[in-house]
Amino acid sequence: MNKKPVLWRIIFVLVVLGCFAWSIFPLREGDFYDTFRRLAHGEKEKIETIIKLAKENRQNGKYNYDSEALLEAANEQGVDLTKFVTGRYISNNKDVINKVRESARASIRRGIDLAGGVEYLLELQENPDAETSEAKKSMNYQDQAIEILRNRLEKEKIFEAEISPVGKDLISLKAPITNKEERLRFKNIIERSAKLKFHLVADNNNELVQEYLQDKKAGKQFVPPVGYELKVATEVENNKTIKNYYFIKTIPEMGGKDIVSASPEIGQFGRRRISLGFNHKGAQDFSKVTHANVGKKLAVVLDGKLYCAPVIQTGIDQGQAIITGQFSRDEALNISNALMSGNLPVKIKVAAEFLTSPTLGSEAVRNGITAGLIGLGLVILFMVLYYLGAGLVANIALLANIVLVLGALAAFEATLTLPGIAGIILTIGMAVDANVLIFERIREELQNNKTIFNAVETGYSRAFTTILDSNLTTLFTALILMYVGSGPVKGFGVTLSIGIATSMFTALFLTRLVFDILLRFTKIQRLPMNSFFKRPNIDFLNLRFLAGGLSCFLIAGAIVIACLRGGDIFGVDFSGGKRITMSYQKDVPVAQVVQAVEEKGYKDVKAVYKTSLASVADNEKIEILVPDNSVNSNIKSSSSLADILNAKFPDAKFSGAQETVVGGLIGAEFTKAAIWALILALIGIIIYITIRFEFAYAMAAIVALVHDVVIATGIFLLVGELSLPVVAALLTILGYSLNDTIVVFDRIREDLGLIKDRPYKQIINLSINQTLSRTILTSLTTMLVLLVLFFMGGIAINDFVFVMLIGVVVGTYSSVFIASPIVAVWHRRIGKNVK
């Protein structure tokens, strides 16, 4: 029995669960002003006065956002908001507004597919400040802009944005931002060109400023000297707005394209600033500028806004520069991220802004949540019926694991999407799997007539290595996907990494604590469990040739299907298509619209309702995205699509169809990043398994992974096209199959060390039979959830769930019939005795 103190472990578990459970709330977004009231303390009358003034300014149309109105109301009144709202990183009024904004949003950001969000239609214009006119020189500026925007959003922990080209000069950017105040912040991030310039200030700046102010007061037009322009730096001191005027040279001394580092920091007087680092060329250029202009002011201008104009005290040779200004922590971080993500070769203008409904449809989201809860309930019931009392312990760990996963998603500001749910489903399976491994080990020890105390101790000890190997191998893969991948691939890696960590904690720490409490404080003497098999003795390796032939047939079939279909295997996420936008008078569930269109020959259709944020009539639209590569379609034009839908749904009265061409969400850089992530993940798997086992095991695992993905893809291509949800499901199969294979390998390794002078074939068969109950139980519990999702979750997630179902079956099959025989054949000793 574990002799470690129980009390401290109980306190630790309660603290961890409490912290993560607290992170889950609030589940819904709060009102901005109510949130400010909740955070603020002291002088309630002054607080209400500021809120009243802010609301009046909003009603008068002076500001579009509550955050803007509240900030300016405080500045107008000369009120220091830091006296009312305190906290870490809060040093000025802007920080307070950011604090309120963050506190008002929901704890867990849901993806566009689950909750909808905002769409910006971005117009790409030539940047008049662009050095050497990159916009004209570059033929692929649209792709550059997409990748730079994607990098910026990922630095904001938004991995699930949908960015695609529209025509030649537009970009559609959809992001899971539902909070209105967050939209303002998000809009500022994407509009920033990150063009940094260093301009010399006129030597006689003070005289020019005096002349300018006098002419302005007298109503005269002031004309700056030739080659100079006026810039105004606005600062807030003692909560009063102060304007400083500078006449700077129109032509900059140098730009910021050679910046290699940018980070916010606190200066010696407690003011925030942004520290810049240049590469070798940039450092040389900056050294020349500063050495040649000692004693002069050098203005720092970012995207046309002057932030500061410090005096050059001495020449700077270290390749470092500083931007000071009235930054909030959030603003300084955003500017730093934008500078590091790369400056846009064009200027971005928000041409249109829309609110979008969930791409899966509200009904599909509800169905999915209901189906997921039912599936979870079936797993809980099954564990109790099969493992009895031990099943209750497993269910405590399972529920705790869900709390930890959701709490971690909130704490790390991850976005919950369909691919994220894939990761959670996998981690639920892995959490159940870890408990099954432990319980089966305990069962074996009890069958060997050990006491319950010794059986629990030995069961955990022997299961630990298997759980560690299987989880760490999958975790290694998830971390590579997270750090090297892009977009949904990165998002999947984040969710999977969180799930692996939480499942190991609950299986190895929490359940052990529960058993220790039961054994120490109760008189429990037995731990009865049901079983599928008493002592199975199936000769699996005798079926290796039949299994190998079947696998070769399925792999060849998958390749033939892919070749015959050609480019038709790619859905709209990869190939792009036509975006048809129409007005309507009565909405129809998204799933029904998609079904009606697909009945006419199109596949992989997406539909979403959207509302223009411009104050115009007829701002309610439905957007239908149909791929270019669909076959046997009766839809010849956007008007014919409206006719088809009106025939099916006459009350909806779809009209005013407009058609635009859109590119795929998966660009060249995205694809390259995903491929590199997978290659590195496979290399990492080979290295880890070779170190922990040997090279033969590593190659067998890789062959099994490729086998599973190819066969699952081939079977799915009989009925569908590749899309981002399907890719997420295939990634999940990698994790599931690898976990299953490592469990079998670990038992083979253990038996090889314990059993001598028996044929290799017998030992491998013994190992597979020893883990057979665990293999079937894990597959069964995972399939319970997936089957409920498939039949009750709705058509919107059927492709995703179908691929997962294929993967569970194929992954289980490959662990037994593909990976294990390869290990034996590799050594050419399948029939020889182990020495």
Side-chain angles (χ1 to χ4, degrees):
M1 184 176 66
N2 195 335
K3 300 298 183 180
K4 293 180 180 179
V6 171
L7 179 60
W8 287 110
R9 285 190 288 157
I10 292 174
I11 294 173
F12 177 71
V13 167
L14 292 177
V15 170
V16 170
L17 288 175
C19 291
F20 278 85
W22 181 264
S23 299
I24 298 174
F25 298 96
L27 294 174
R28 296 183 178 275
E29 296 170 358
D31 178 79
F32 188 84
Y33 296 122
D34 288 343
T35 304
F36 175 58
R37 289 189 180 96
R38 175 171 58 84
L39 296 176
H41 52 82
E43 297 191 58
K44 295 296 183 182
E45 291 185 3
K46 185 171 288 188
I47 292 170
E48 292 300 324
T49 300
I50 297 170
I51 293 175
K52 181 180 178 181
L53 178 59
K55 287 184 175 180
E56 290 176 355
N57 289 337
R58 282 278 283 114
Q59 291 174 353
N60 295 334
K62 191 174 180 180
Y63 302 103
N64 293 323
Y65 297 91
D66 293 335
S67 54
E68 286 181 316
L70 188 64
L71 176 62
E72 292 306 316
N75 289 340
E76 287 178 19
Q77 297 291 311
V79 176
D80 184 1
L81 295 179
T82 62
K83 294 180 179 179
F84 305 108
V85 178
T86 57
R88 193 179 180 188
Y89 303 122
I90 292 180
S91 61
N92 55 45
N93 284 358
K94 286 184 178 181
D95 287 326
V96 172
I97 297 301
N98 288 331
K99 173 72 173 178
V100 176
R101 183 190 293 119
E102 291 173 0
S103 301
R105 71 186 185 194
S107 59
I108 299 177
R109 180 189 289 137
R110 292 170 294 166
I112 302 170
D113 48 359
L114 301 179
V118 62
E119 177 188 13
Y120 291 105
L121 199 59
L122 306 176
E123 182 180 348
L124 305 182
Q125 303 174 335
E126 181 180 348
N127 194 334
D129 296 327
E131 298 170 29
T132 65
S133 190
E134 300 104 318
K136 288 184 178 180
K137 289 172 31 177
S138 177
M139 298 303 293
N140 63 338
Y141 63 87
Q142 198 175 40
D143 292 339
Q144 292 180 36
I146 287 174
E147 292 309 316
I148 289 173
L149 288 171
R150 195 188 305 280
N151 289 336
R152 285 188 188 176
L153 299 186
E154 289 183 359
K155 289 183 181 296
E156 295 295 318
K157 301 180 182 179
I158 301 175
F159 306 121
E160 294 77 14
E162 297 181 2
I163 312 175
S164 59
V166 178
K168 295 181 178 180
D169 298 310
L170 295 174
I171 291 175
S172 170
L173 190 155
K174 296 179 181 178
I177 308 295
T178 56
N179 182 284
K180 182 177 181 181
E181 304 306 320
E182 282 288 302
R183 291 202 304 270
L184 172 62
R185 173 177 173 271
F186 182 70
K187 186 177 179 181
N188 291 334
I189 291 172
I190 62 176
E191 282 186 315
R192 183 171 287 125
S193 296
K195 286 291 183 183
L196 183 64
K197 308 285 184 181
F198 296 91
H199 300 253
L200 283 175
V201 178
D203 293 337
N204 59 338
N205 183 70
N206 292 337
E207 292 81 359
L208 292 173
V209 170
Q210 290 297 324
E211 291 180 28
Y212 164 76
L213 294 176
Q214 291 174 2
D215 287 354
K216 183 179 179 182
K217 186 176 181 180
K220 297 179 181 179
Q221 181 69 33
F222 180 82
V223 179
V226 176
Y228 288 85
E229 61 179 321
L230 175 65
K231 289 288 183 181
V232 182
T234 303
E235 296 186 0
V236 178
E237 293 184 5
N238 298 322
N239 302 301
K240 292 292 185 180
T241 301
I242 298 175
K243 293 182 178 181
N244 295 314
Y245 300 90
Y246 298 94
F247 284 89
I248 66 174
K249 281 189 175 182
T250 306
I251 300 176
E253 301 305 306
M254 65 176 290
K257 65 179 181 178
D258 295 315
I259 289 175
V260 293
S261 66
S263 59
E265 60 183 31
I266 302 296
Q268 59 179 340
F269 298 110
R271 297 189 64 180
R272 282 198 186 87
R273 62 189 191 184
I274 299 172
S275 176
L276 306 176
F278 295 96
N279 59 20
H280 180 68
K281 180 181 180 304
Q284 285 185 327
D285 292 342
F286 197 63
S287 176
K288 290 178 182 178
V289 171
T290 54
H291 275 283
N293 296 283
V294 173
K296 297 182 179 181
K297 290 183 178 180
L298 186 65
V300 182
V301 179
L302 178 65
D303 291 343
K305 179 180 179 181
L306 191 152
Y307 280 88
C308 60
V311 175
I312 302 173
Q313 302 292 347
T314 184
I316 301 174
D317 299 318
Q318 294 81 17
Q320 300 289 324
I322 296 293
I323 306 176
T324 60
Q326 194 72 22
F327 298 119
S328 67
R329 176 175 177 268
D330 187 69
E331 187 179 14
L333 187 60
N334 290 340
I335 292 174
S336 300
N337 288 340
L339 290 169
M340 287 297 295
S341 300
N343 53 64
L344 290 167
V346 290
K347 188 176 182 179
I348 286 184
K349 176 185 177 183
V350 176
E353 185 178 0
F354 303 92
L355 295 180
T356 66
S357 65
T359 54
L360 291 180
S362 301
E363 184 178 358
V365 173
R366 287 194 298 270
N367 291 342
I369 293 173
T370 302
L373 291 174
I374 293 174
L376 178 62
L378 289 176
V379 171
I380 291 173
L381 179 62
F382 176 82
M383 292 297 288
V384 172
L385 293 177
Y386 189 82
Y387 281 115
L388 305 177
L392 290 174
V393 177
N395 288 335
I396 292 173
L398 183 60
L399 295 174
N401 189 63
I402 293 173
V403 172
L404 293 174
V405 169
L406 294 178
L409 287 173
F412 294 112
E413 299 182 19
T415 303
L416 182 61
T417 63
L418 187 60
I421 292 175
I424 293 176
I425 290 174
L426 177 58
T427 56
I428 288 175
M430 292 174 69
V432 171
D433 178 56
N435 286 293
V436 169
L437 282 168
I438 293 168
F439 295 162
E440 291 300 313
R441 284 290 195 171
I442 293 174
R443 187 205 300 274
E444 290 179 20
E445 300 304 320
L446 290 172
Q447 289 173 346
N448 292 330
N449 298 318
K450 287 191 175 181
T451 65
I452 187 170
F453 299 100
N454 290 331
V456 170
E457 182 75 26
T458 308
Y460 271 92
S461 176
R462 292 191 172 180
F464 175 79
T465 302
T466 305
I467 295 171
L468 184 67
D469 282 336
S470 59
N471 281 275
L472 283 185
T473 311
T474 310
L475 177 61
F476 190 80
T477 305
L479 291 174
I480 291 175
L481 295 177
M482 181 171 68
Y483 284 104
V484 182
S486 182
V489 174
K490 185 186 289 285
F492 174 82
V494 171
T495 308
L496 182 56
S497 300
I498 290 172
I500 292 170
T502 58
S503 63
M504 289 185 67
F505 171 79
T506 54
L508 296 174
F509 190 90
L510 178 58
T511 60
R512 182 64 193 270
L513 174 61
V514 174
F515 273 118
D516 284 348
I517 293 173
L518 292 174
L519 295 175
R520 188 173 298 185
F521 299 108
T522 68
K523 297 181 179 181
I524 182 173
Q525 297 294 324
R526 298 174 60 249
L527 197 62
M529 306 176 190
N530 292 314
S531 63
F532 288 126
F533 310 102
K534 294 299 181 183
R535 291 187 182 274
N537 187 26
I538 304 171
D539 192 349
F540 289 102
L541 290 196
N542 257 0
L543 301 173
R544 65 186 183 278
F545 296 110
L546 178 62
L550 176 61
S551 293
C552 290
F553 173 77
L554 292 174
I555 290 172
I559 296 172
V560 169
I561 292 170
C563 292
L564 289 176
R565 291 191 59 181
D568 187 43
I569 68 173
F570 297 107
V572 68
D573 290 340
F574 291 87
S575 64
K578 294 182 178 65
R579 183 163 72 174
I580 301 169
T581 306
M582 294 179 288
S583 301
Y584 63 93
Q585 293 188 14
K586 182 179 180 181
D587 60 35
V588 178
V590 166
Q592 295 182 27
V593 172
V594 170
Q595 185 176 6
V597 177
E598 292 186 341
E599 286 175 354
K600 296 300 180 180
Y602 271 88
K603 296 179 181 179
D604 193 33
V605 173
K606 293 185 176 182
V608 63
Y609 286 99
K610 54 196 295 185
T611 303
S612 173
L613 292 176
S615 300
V616 295
D618 190 29
N619 63 345
E620 302 285 339
K621 303 284 184 180
I622 183 172
E623 176 185 289
I624 302 174
L625 189 60
V626 290
D628 282 332
N629 57 9
S630 292
V631 295
N632 301 322
S633 174
N634 296 321
I635 301 174
K636 304 301 181 183
S637 65
S638 55
S639 59
S640 65
L641 177 59
D643 293 337
I644 291 169
L645 292 176
N646 283 326
K648 185 80 172 181
F649 313 107
D651 293 339
K653 297 182 180 179
F654 295 104
S655 62
Q658 296 179 336
E659 181 180 306
T660 54
V661 177
V662 297
L665 295 174
I666 311 301
E669 292 299 320
F670 180 100
T671 304
K672 184 169 68 175
I675 292 173
W676 270 111
L678 290 176
I679 291 174
L680 290 176
L682 293 177
I683 294 173
I685 291 170
I686 292 173
I687 294 173
Y688 182 85
I689 297 179
T690 299
I691 293 173
R692 293 290 294 159
F693 297 84
E694 58 180 272
F695 186 66
Y697 290 86
M699 295 313 299
I702 296 300
V703 170
L705 290 182
V706 175
H707 164 279
D708 297 346
V709 172
V710 171
I711 291 178
T713 304
I715 294 174
F716 175 74
L717 289 180
L718 289 171
V719 295
E721 289 83 28
L722 293 178
S723 62
L724 283 178
V726 171
V727 170
L730 292 173
L731 289 173
T732 308
I733 291 173
L734 285 178
Y736 183 90
S737 175
L738 183 61
N739 182 270
D740 205 26
T741 300
I742 294 298
V743 169
V744 178
F745 282 179
D746 199 86
R747 196 56 176 255
I748 294 173
R749 178 180 60 180
E750 179 181 333
D751 287 342
L752 286 172
L754 296 174
I755 304 172
K756 305 297 181 183
D757 298 323
R758 289 179 65 179
Y760 215 74
K761 175 184 174 181
Q762 288 186 16
I763 293 179
I764 293 180
N765 272 326
L766 174 64
S767 301
I768 297 174
N769 279 286
Q770 287 174 331
T771 56
L772 187 60
S773 291
R774 170 261 157 207
T775 300
I776 292 177
L777 282 169
T778 302
S779 301
L780 184 60
T781 52
T782 305
M783 288 190 71
L784 274 176
V785 178
L786 293 174
L787 285 170
V788 174
L789 285 171
F790 185 77
F791 289 107
M792 297 182 60
I795 190 174
I797 62 173
N798 273 4
D799 284 354
F800 165 77
V801 178
F802 181 59
V803 176
M804 290 279 290
L805 283 168
I806 299 170
V808 170
V809 175
V810 176
T812 304
Y813 161 85
S814 70
S815 299
V816 175
F817 293 106
I818 303 298
S820 299
I822 288 176
V823 172
V825 172
W826 186 281
H827 293 87
R828 299 185 180 276
R829 57 186 182 184
I830 193 167
K832 298 180 180 179
N833 286 358
V834 176
K835 296 180 181 180

